[in-house]
Amino acid sequence: MIWLISSLFAQEPSEPVDAGWDDEPTRVFVGEFQAINAEAGSLAALLSGYLVNQLDSHGELDAISAYEAPDIQGYSASTYLLSCPSGEYVGCAYVIGDTVDAEYAVAGTVESLNEGTRVRLSIIDVVDSREALSFEVDLGLGDDERFAEGVADILLAVIAGEQGAVVDIRDGEEPGEPEDFDAVNAQLE
């Protein structure tokens, strides 16, 4: 399912966006991946490491791991993340990302399946306090490094505004303009 990552780039951005890169790299907090089941524990740690290394290989990114982050509320950042309640992992990664002055944070879960591994990943725009993009992908044996490369490409696209941008879906309507319900019903018939 690595093709899913590539397919995200099939969309053209609605308008060119200045990525805003200058001499200063974009700081990205990479949280330790949370293992959903016991079998996924070692792969969760490996994926986090692969991702930090891959992001650091891009000159425009400065990845920081939980091990490099300061304590959060009296706990190491790693302990803080691993003790995060189920379903709140994105919020916990946001807190640490904000603490380390990161512009983006990456958080995810890893689940071991009978025939591979399922990874759920979120890219958090810390500056705008929102989840910019999230996706789920099933990895086969040996796909972990390719996964990290794909996530780096997606993150760079998010930073450039090519993916995960806030889009007004009102199709050009002015706010407060009354809806023509008869016209909508006619289109549906």
Side-chain angles (χ1 to χ4, degrees):
M1 291 260 191
I2 292 294
W3 62 268
L4 172 67
I5 293 172
S6 299
S7 70
L8 289 172
F9 293 105
Q11 305 170 11
E12 290 293 321
S14 55
E15 59 186 65
V17 177
D18 177 17
W21 286 315
D22 49 22
D23 295 335
E24 196 73 25
T26 301
R27 181 169 261 204
V28 179
F29 170 70
V30 178
E32 293 179 35
F33 283 76
Q34 193 174 49
I36 298 295
N37 50 19
E39 297 85 5
S42 59
L43 184 57
L46 283 174
L47 281 177
S48 300
Y50 283 141
L51 192 51
V52 168
N53 290 335
Q54 184 62 38
L55 296 180
D56 273 341
S57 74
H58 293 272
E60 59 265 49
L61 299 175
D62 173 28
I64 182 168
S65 72
Y67 298 108
E68 299 169 284
D71 288 355
I72 307 293
Q73 299 176 359
Y75 298 97
S76 71
S78 178
T79 300
Y80 182 82
L81 275 176
L82 295 176
S83 62
C84 195
S86 179
E88 301 298 323
Y89 197 66
V90 169
C92 292
Y94 167 82
V95 168
I96 298 172
D98 188 48
T99 300
V100 300
D101 294 323
E103 295 174 54
Y104 291 89
V106 177
T109 61
V110 179
E111 180 180 11
S112 184
L113 306 172
N114 289 335
E115 300 204 13
T117 305
R118 177 162 295 142
V119 179
R120 291 176 188 91
L121 185 119
S122 295
I123 297 175
I124 304 145
D125 182 337
V126 176
V127 174
D128 288 340
S129 303
R130 68 181 186 89
E131 186 175 55
L133 188 111
S134 64
F135 61 91
E136 179 177 296
V137 62
D138 290 345
L139 303 178
L141 189 61
D143 284 342
D144 32 350
E145 287 185 43
R146 277 189 12 203
F147 171 75
E149 292 168 7
V151 171
D153 290 341
I154 291 171
L155 179 60
L156 290 169
V158 168
I159 293 169
E162 297 167 0
Q163 295 292 325
V166 176
V167 178
D168 187 350
I169 61 171
R170 293 176 292 185
D171 197 30
E173 293 179 22
E174 292 295 316
E177 192 174 293
E179 184 73 42
D180 184 355
F181 292 108
D182 292 333
V184 171
N185 285 333
Q187 288 178 353
L188 295 175
E189 293 177 355

